[in-house]
Amino acid sequence: MQPIPDLKNNMSFEDFKTEVLNDYKIAVTSRECSLLGRREVLTGKAKFGIFGDGKEVPQLAMAKAFLKGDFRSGYYRDQTFMMALGELTVEQFFAGLYANTDLNLEPMSAGRQMGGHFTTHSLDENGHWKDLTKQYNSSADISPTASQMPRLLGLAQASKIYRNVKGIDTTNFSIQGNEVAWGTIGNASTSEGLFFETINAAGVLQVPMVISVWDDEYGISVHARNQTTKENISEVLKGFQRTKDEKGFEILRVKGWDYANLIETYQEAAAIAREDHVPVLIHVTELTQPQGHSTSGSHERYKNKNRLKWEMENDCNLKMRSWIIESGIATNETLTDIERTIKKEVRIGRKNAWDLFLKPIVKSSQELVTILTNYASSSVHSDFILKTKNILLAIEEPTRKDLLSKSRKLLHHSIGDVSPERQHLVNWINNYLQENQSDFSSHLYSETDKSPITIEEVKPTYDKDAGVVDGRIIIRDNFDFIFNNHPETLIFGEDTGYIGDVNQGLEGLQEKYGELRVADTGIREATIVGQGIGMAMRGLRPIAEIQYLDYLMYALQIISDDLATLHYRTKGRQKAPLIIRTRGHRLEGIWHSGSQLGGVINLVRGIHVLVPRNMTKAAGFYNTLLLGDEPALVIECLNGYRLKEKLPNNIGEFKTPIGVVETVKKGNDITLVSYGSTLRIVEDVAKDLLLVDIDAEVIDVQSLLPFDLNHDIAKSISKTNRVMIIDEDVPGGASAYILNEILNTQNGYQYLDSQPKTLTAKAHRPAYGTDGDYFSKPSAEDIFEAVYNVMHEMSPDDFPKLR
């Protein structure tokens, strides 16, 4: 571990002066970036700006306590901290503001997030783990307020796992669990439930976490009196303060302009968290926000004159400047020279970033102008072409949109013009679109050799005298194999540990593998998922269990905004291969039943959504996923744990393929598509349909995201010429998604002789009881009659009207 700097005891006064002045230079640089950044937005060069002005000095102190191997999970004002670590240059700051798509120039997100969102690279260009113990680490920021908190919990818990669980290969990930997870949040965002949920969970788990609350008394325009009881979050959280006899948080308070005390406070917090694995909250008060919340408005609209005057007098940079002079570290003249020099450096850095952003676009613009010049010389549309060319020449600072919009509209006005010159333009547009689209759309999913989609199926095998057991036995034994062979795996959730989950799919495994690897949690779905995200980002393979599918809604924002976008928003430089395990489908009642998958699959692109019809299929999915590097949601059938299945003899080794459907019954008259518990009903109905001479082909989707990569459903329709999709989601839900995939992605429409049909649950949640289930969801009779009616429409003579 690197030494923690001690500004009091281990430095000469000259070294101390150098350290302080270097810190002041960073603070001034950061402030100048904020001031100039706002101007860039207001002049139109950048779209939006949110900056860290007013928070510079406490972030310097935080950076001094932050060691290599540590992780940050912060919000969008921590630019000074990143600069102090050497992880953000002036040019990179502005490259982010301009949304430069070159990852080498804008390493935070390659222009995929607005400025102020910071990250470091956990993966190399091939998607393989770097040595995280030898670098400063920042998990990729997200904008939704307090959403960084659940992930912070998992980043901290990883250290606890690495310190206490034997047998894990910690190479690249941890040195004896000594790493601290550092969180930052604005005072107003502490009003979010995600903050309180994380605070409570961290106190229970006792993980090495330090949370800094930057308190400037406002949340956008809303004062703390409307945000926080007592207008003071550390007062509110007093009950979490640890005592001699009770575990909890250490709560520290410090003024945000007090440079010396900030350093001492952060060193104290780091020692407590790092050595004792006790969470710490630092309430940093008396901060300011000189430019207001963001470029969307001015703080003069909501702060009175007295507050504005106070902020000017108590600006942390100004206070640090005065302290430096009063302490004899530097004179006013010296500091003035420093400030002038830095202003010039920041302006130079801004210009360099802008020039580098424009350079490839200008080059492409010149190429396009040459093509248009040649085209105009031979076309009857020369006047319009030259007009377009002159418009492009007049744009001094073009965007890619300018080039493509103008050139594509030109094609619209020259339809029917056949010439080599026009074809040259067409080729340029096609190539430019192809070359640039990946800059905005790549890495939604893994593009490495570890993608689970590439893992081939291994079918379950059976002894001749294979026994028939409850499905829960298969899933339990498979988890037993996983935990025994993969020490980096762990599972946690409500009722997951001691009783082995509510359906006994983990029976006896906590006793065998310990409370850290098979763990009970509180009722707090968002931070259950957050634990998984953070631990997965540090090389562990967590399985976060959400008890029922509808409970997933508590965590859906975290899943959608954080987990699903992580790989994309870092352009493949961070990943969190978390598996979320839940159960749903076929039960009676409004709660814990039904399949609300239409909403889920349209909010979690970037995550695999898998819907196995039985426990053997589910177990195979876990085996596949653990060999890959992507996150996934596995939805087990809630009524399948007691259903009988043959016991495979290759538990832990068979693998269910991802993105591949299975034809469970061949047929010639109609293709029936379903998944999960409903699939089993469809199988039974297919047998009954044979009695009326309808030979249905039955296909199990298995995987909603991704969906039928081999287009096997379209191949089936080419044979049957008819298709029906049956599920228990609401109308327009997952069935509509499936139909869209079949018609528009697989072009299955060309094979249809009958209208494609969907059969779904009613638009409401399922009513309670057996009759409620029958009248709410597709029953066997509903399916039979719907299929029969399709055949009746096709041939009324062969299939007389049923009723």
Side-chain angles (χ1 to χ4, degrees):
M1 288 169 51
Q2 70 190 74
I4 299 173
D6 185 341
L7 298 188
K8 280 190 171 181
N9 302 319
N10 295 334
M11 284 187 178
S12 67
F13 186 65
E14 288 303 315
D15 288 340
F16 174 68
K17 286 169 58 176
T18 300
E19 183 83 12
V20 171
L21 288 177
N22 183 62
D23 281 351
Y24 184 67
K25 290 175 184 177
I26 295 169
V28 173
T29 300
S30 179
R31 179 65 60 88
E32 287 300 317
C33 285
S34 295
L35 296 173
L36 191 52
R38 182 179 177 86
R39 294 192 202 108
E40 293 298 275
V41 175
L42 298 180
T43 58
K45 286 185 177 179
K47 290 293 183 181
F48 181 76
I50 193 161
F51 306 109
D53 47 306
K55 315 296 187 294
E56 292 91 349
V57 176
Q59 291 181 26
L60 293 170
M62 176 177 157
K64 290 185 183 300
F66 192 96
L67 303 185
K68 290 183 177 179
D70 287 357
F71 260 88
R72 166 188 168 274
S73 182
Y75 83 146
Y76 34 70
R77 300 195 189 278
D78 292 345
Q79 69 200 46
T80 310
F81 171 79
M82 296 296 288
M83 289 177 174
L85 292 181
E87 297 295 333
L88 179 69
T89 66
V90 172
E91 286 82 0
Q92 290 168 348
F93 172 88
F94 284 103
L97 198 63
Y98 302 141
N100 195 318
T101 58
D102 187 332
L103 192 64
N104 294 313
L105 299 174
E106 203 286 90
M108 300 302 141
S109 73
R112 295 183 178 190
Q113 297 205 91
M114 67 185 74
H117 293 71
F118 306 115
T119 189
T120 54
H121 295 181
S122 300
L123 310 174
D124 63 21
E125 61 276 10
N126 298 313
H128 301 149
W129 289 107
K130 299 171 69 176
D131 190 340
L132 305 185
T133 68
K134 294 181 178 178
Q135 64 179 41
Y136 300 114
N137 300 291
S138 175
S139 57
D141 291 340
I142 49 177
S143 280
T145 52
S147 294
Q148 71 272 28
M149 290 291 104
R151 178 211 316 146
L152 173 66
L153 180 68
L155 291 169
Q157 189 182 2
S159 290
K160 183 173 183 176
I161 298 298
Y162 281 127
R163 178 175 286 186
N164 294 288
V165 174
K166 307 302 180 186
I168 302 176
D169 181 3
T170 61
T171 305
N172 294 341
F173 302 115
S174 181
I175 299 175
Q176 298 175 342
N178 290 327
E179 301 78 21
V180 173
W182 300 78
T184 63
I185 189 169
N187 57 294
S189 294
T190 63
S191 301
E192 291 278 9
L194 294 175
F195 173 80
F196 282 95
E197 191 171 316
T198 301
I199 289 287
N200 181 58
V204 170
L205 291 171
Q206 290 292 283
V207 291
M209 171 195 301
V210 178
I211 299 176
S212 297
V213 179
W214 309 139
D215 191 344
D216 57 28
E217 292 193 18
Y218 284 85
I220 308 183
S221 66
V222 180
H223 190 269
R225 62 179 169 271
N226 296 318
Q227 301 272 5
T228 309
T229 302
K230 301 181 180 181
E231 300 181 29
N232 189 315
I233 189 61
S234 57
E235 282 293 309
V236 172
L237 296 176
K238 272 186 174 179
F240 286 89
Q241 175 68 54
R242 65 174 179 161
T243 67
K244 182 180 179 181
D245 301 316
E246 295 177 312
K247 294 179 179 179
F249 266 74
E250 186 62 45
I251 299 177
L252 306 174
R253 300 168 184 84
V254 62
K255 298 186 187 307
W257 47 262
D258 192 342
Y259 175 76
N261 279 331
L262 280 162
I263 291 173
E264 289 184 1
T265 300
Y266 274 89
Q267 298 296 336
E268 178 185 358
I272 292 169
R274 199 178 305 281
E275 296 167 16
D276 301 329
H277 277 198
V278 170
V280 182
L281 182 134
I282 304 176
H283 187 189
V284 185
T285 62
E286 296 192 17
L287 287 171
T288 66
Q289 202 152 275
Q291 299 187 112
H293 172 263
S294 67
T295 54
S296 61
S298 170
H299 64 159
E300 285 84 3
R301 292 183 302 163
Y302 52 86
K303 292 177 183 175
N304 61 37
K305 291 182 179 179
N306 289 335
R307 175 66 191 189
L308 291 170
K309 181 176 182 292
W310 182 91
E311 290 202 4
M312 289 184 66
E313 294 171 349
N314 289 275
D315 181 279
C316 64
N317 283 16
L318 181 62
K319 285 276 196 178
M320 183 179 180
R321 190 183 198 281
S322 298
W323 175 81
I324 290 172
I325 295 171
E326 292 167 3
S327 302
I329 295 171
T331 64
N332 177 65
E333 291 75 15
T334 299
L335 296 183
T336 300
D337 288 342
I338 289 173
E339 291 153 3
R340 287 173 179 165
T341 300
I342 287 173
K343 282 190 176 185
K344 293 178 182 177
E345 291 173 350
V346 171
R347 282 176 169 78
I348 291 170
R350 180 211 62 81
K351 184 179 185 303
N352 290 340
W354 182 247
D355 290 345
L356 288 169
F357 171 72
L358 274 182
K359 184 177 180 181
I361 305 176
V362 170
K363 180 181 178 183
S364 297
S365 180
Q366 292 168 346
E367 292 173 354
L368 179 57
V369 165
T370 300
I371 291 170
L372 295 182
T373 301
N374 295 333
Y375 185 19
S377 66
S378 63
S379 174
V380 296
H381 304 287
S382 60
D383 289 346
F384 190 81
I385 297 169
L386 290 174
K387 181 181 177 181
T388 302
K389 169 189 167 181
N390 291 332
I391 290 172
L392 287 172
L393 286 171
I395 303 174
E396 294 183 4
E397 298 173 339
T399 65
R400 293 176 178 86
K401 176 186 174 182
D402 289 329
L403 307 188
L404 284 168
S405 178
K406 299 292 187 296
S407 59
R408 292 171 75 181
K409 284 180 180 177
L410 179 55
L411 290 185
H412 303 168
H413 288 82
S414 61
I415 295 173
D417 190 356
V418 180
S419 68
E421 290 79 12
R422 186 181 189 277
Q423 187 59 45
H424 194 186
L425 175 61
V426 170
N427 293 341
W428 184 90
I429 291 171
N430 290 340
N431 291 334
Y432 198 64
L433 277 168
Q434 184 176 0
E435 289 168 4
N436 286 278
Q437 189 64 58
S438 65
D439 284 339
F440 302 92
S441 301
S442 69
H443 294 91
L444 180 60
Y445 294 97
S446 172
E447 299 180 9
T448 75
D449 55 1
K450 295 284 286 183
S451 170
I453 294 174
T454 65
I455 296 170
E456 295 184 2
E457 179 179 18
V458 175
K459 292 184 179 296
T461 56
Y462 302 91
D463 295 329
K464 288 183 179 180
D465 57 348
V468 177
V469 298
D470 289 347
R472 73 173 188 88
I473 301 298
I474 294 172
I475 204 81
R476 181 201 66 188
D477 290 356
N478 196 77
F479 277 130
D480 188 12
F481 180 96
I482 287 171
F483 296 141
N484 188 55
N485 288 274
H486 301 281
E488 70 280 6
T489 58
L490 60 157
I491 191 167
F492 45 91
E494 298 156 16
D495 299 311
T496 296
Y498 185 73
I499 68 168
D501 87 38
V502 291
N503 299 102
Q504 299 289 278
L506 297 165
E507 179 188 23
L509 298 187
Q510 184 182 80
E511 184 178 0
K512 185 172 183 179
Y513 295 104
E515 294 184 5
L516 287 176
R517 292 191 64 197
V518 183
D520 286 311
T521 69
I523 299 176
R524 45 175 181 78
E525 285 76 12
T527 46
I528 290 172
V529 171
Q531 285 176 248
I533 296 172
M535 286 193 281
M537 292 184 76
R538 291 191 58 192
L540 295 169
R541 294 308 307 265
I543 302 170
E545 181 167 316
I546 302 298
Q547 197 166 75
Y548 299 111
L549 181 58
D550 56 336
Y551 287 170
L552 195 74
M553 306 308 168
Y554 285 101
L556 195 53
Q557 185 265 321
I558 296 298
I559 298 170
S560 179
D561 286 331
D562 196 358
L563 181 60
T565 67
L566 177 64
H567 198 59
Y568 166 77
R569 72 180 190 267
T570 62
K571 203 171 184 180
R573 294 308 172 94
Q574 287 190 355
K575 65 181 178 182
L578 166 66
I579 299 172
I580 301 172
R581 179 196 185 205
T582 191
R583 48 193 68 82
H585 311 313
R586 212 71 202 191
L587 273 189
E588 297 88 1
I590 291 177
W591 319 120
H592 318 332
S593 62
S595 305
Q596 303 89 1
L597 281 164
V600 172
I601 59 179
N602 287 300
L603 287 170
V604 302
R605 302 300 168 93
I607 295 174
H608 298 315
V609 178
L610 310 176
V611 283
R613 70 180 182 270
N614 58 37
M615 297 305 146
T616 302
K617 289 289 183 180
F621 274 136
Y622 293 120
N623 297 337
T624 300
L625 289 167
L626 286 169
L627 295 177
D629 63 351
E630 292 186 308
L633 169 66
V634 181
I635 303 168
E636 298 169 10
C637 294
L638 192 46
N639 62 354
Y641 297 101
R642 302 291 176 183
L643 295 180
K644 303 298 183 183
E645 298 181 39
K646 287 177 65 177
L647 182 64
N649 60 17
N650 58 340
I651 287 283
E653 297 173 355
F654 58 83
K655 300 171 186 66
T656 308
I658 292 175
V660 178
V661 303
E662 181 181 0
T663 301
V664 297
K665 177 191 174 299
K666 292 188 178 297
N668 298 302
D669 294 328
I670 187 170
T671 300
L672 304 182
V673 179
S674 191
Y675 60 87
S677 296
T678 306
L679 189 282
R680 297 198 295 266
I681 300 174
V682 174
E683 284 188 274
D684 291 339
V685 171
K687 297 173 185 176
D688 294 337
L689 287 168
L690 288 171
L691 302 176
V692 292
D693 296 324
I694 299 174
D695 186 13
E697 185 145 294
V698 179
I699 295 180
D700 181 4
V701 167
Q702 298 196 111
S703 171
L704 287 168
L705 291 176
F707 181 82
D708 188 12
L709 297 174
N710 299 324
H711 294 190
D712 288 328
I713 294 176
K715 295 171 187 174
S716 172
I717 297 171
S718 71
K719 175 179 60 173
T720 66
N721 307 120
R722 278 166 284 278
V723 65
M724 180 178 292
I725 299 151
I726 306 107
D727 82 334
E728 57 181 272
D729 198 359
V730 297
S735 60
Y737 159 78
I738 292 171
L739 185 58
N740 177 71
E741 288 292 309
I742 294 170
L743 297 183
N744 292 322
T745 302
Q746 302 186 8
N747 295 322
Y749 66 88
Q750 62 187 314
Y751 306 119
L752 290 170
D753 291 337
S754 299
Q755 177 186 351
K757 295 284 188 177
T758 62
L759 181 62
T760 69
K762 297 298 186 288
H764 52 75
R765 295 283 184 96
Y768 180 61
T770 301
D771 286 342
D773 176 78
Y774 189 84
F775 282 91
S776 300
K777 301 177 187 176
S779 66
E781 291 74 34
D782 292 332
I783 298 169
F784 183 99
E785 292 176 11
V787 173
Y788 186 90
N789 286 338
V790 171
M791 303 305 293
H792 167 71
E793 291 174 5
M794 184 271 297
S795 179
D797 293 337
D798 293 328
F799 301 97
K801 188 173 182 179
L802 190 61
R803 63 179 173 89

